[in-house]
Amino acid sequence: MNWILVAVAAYFFGALSFIGDKLILSRIVTSPLVYAFYAGVLSVFAALLFPFDMIWPGTAQFLLSLVAGVIFLFALLALFVALKSGEVSRVLPVVGGLTPVFVYLGSYALLGEQLTFMQTVALVFLVVGGVLISMERAPWSFFGIPAWHNILMPVLAALLFGIFYVSVKYVFTHQPFLSGFIWTRLGSFAGALILLVPKSNREVIFNSVRTLNARVGGFFIANKILAGIAFLILNYAIYLGSVTLVNALQGVQYFFILAFSIFLSARIPQFFEEKITRSIIMQKISAILLTGIGLALLVV
């Protein structure tokens, strides 16, 4: 199967899931910590795939797979914190634009890969596009440059996602796809258990259970199933092709997210608050084009 088509499908479902994440974080589960915890707990259901292609990969691969899963969960936590306070169509391009940068750096440090001139130019486009789409005028900003707390979490999320993608590609080169996928998912479950260590976290997480009803819980689980499908397909694309090129195709996800954001803001503004003006749309489109050029240069 063509890995490009697989990646596009993953980013389509991922865009839908991220829109759901924003809705849930804004209206239902307002704590990113709680949301990340539940996302990690649901990862345990990957164990249902045990009978299909599960192997014992050896102690080193087992530990690496678990650590990769833990890193992914903390990347999600940083992303959810960013989504809680920022617009989904601003946050995700920053994360997606910078993640390939960290993937390259990780590949260089761990695999000895060298950047070509074209790849270096591409990274410049990615960074400029990511910063442009995150800029907004606010009382705490200086000449439109986002405040540190607006950019710190997306950058941290991008760094952790970059580490995860490099790690999981290494895992997939030493294990069958489903086996590596299951072990990393169990690592995310272990990450959820780590979140329970601080007493303050346990109080927040356990108290949140009382506020969930069947309807809210059903919407949350449905969105996490959608996210799981997107993540499974994305991992399969990484398994089939280059982890860097798969990341480079995230530009398609930005277009999906922008389209969904505009549609929902017009249809249900009381639930989905996205600033939509002509100048903002032009800014976002310009930033997405810059990011898209960078991503295209990586693919060439």
Side-chain angles (χ1 to χ4, degrees), residues 232-254:
L232 177 63
I233 298 174
L234 182 62
N235 274 258
Y236 189 55
I238 292 174
Y239 172 76
L240 291 175
S242 163
V243 60
T244 301
L245 297 183
V246 170
N247 271 274
L249 282 173
Q250 287 186 80
V252 230
Q253 184 168 256
Y254 307 156

Side-chain angles (χ1 to χ4, degrees), residues 200-251:
S200 58
N201 285 5
R202 293 198 300 273
E203 292 175 349
V204 172
I205 291 170
F206 293 146
N207 287 337
S208 69
V209 177
R210 304 171 187 171
T211 64
L212 294 178
N213 54 44
R215 183 177 180 182
V216 169
F219 180 71
F220 171 82
I221 292 175
N223 189 62
K224 288 299 98 185
I225 291 175
L226 182 63
I229 292 172
F231 187 67
L232 177 63
I233 298 174
L234 182 62
N235 274 258
Y236 189 55
I238 292 174
Y239 172 76
L240 291 175
S242 163
V243 60
T244 301
L245 297 183
V246 170
N247 271 274
L249 282 173
Q250 287 186 80

Side-chain angles (χ1 to χ4, degrees), residues 141-198:
S141 298
F142 182 71
F143 293 112
I145 299 176
W148 69 268
H149 57 271
N150 283 351
I151 197 68
L152 178 60
M153 282 298 109
V155 172
L156 177 60
L159 172 61
L160 294 176
F161 278 126
I163 295 173
F164 166 75
Y165 286 128
V166 172
S167 302
V168 82
K169 180 61 179 180
Y170 184 79
V171 167
F172 287 150
T173 60
H174 292 80
Q175 299 181 47
F177 169 68
L178 281 181
S179 179
F181 178 79
I182 294 169
W183 287 123
T184 56
R185 293 296 77 219
L186 294 182
S188 292
F189 176 72
L193 299 182
I194 293 174
L195 292 179
L196 290 174
V197 173

Side-chain angles (χ1 to χ4, degrees), residues 97-132:
L98 291 180
T99 297
V101 177
F102 293 123
V103 169
Y104 270 124
L105 294 176
S107 298
Y108 174 80
L110 299 176
L111 306 176
E113 293 183 356
Q114 298 286 338
L115 290 177
T116 65
F117 173 76
M118 191 67 71
Q119 291 168 340
T120 303
V121 173
L123 295 184
V124 173
F125 276 100
L126 290 171
V127 172
V128 173
V131 171
L132 176 61

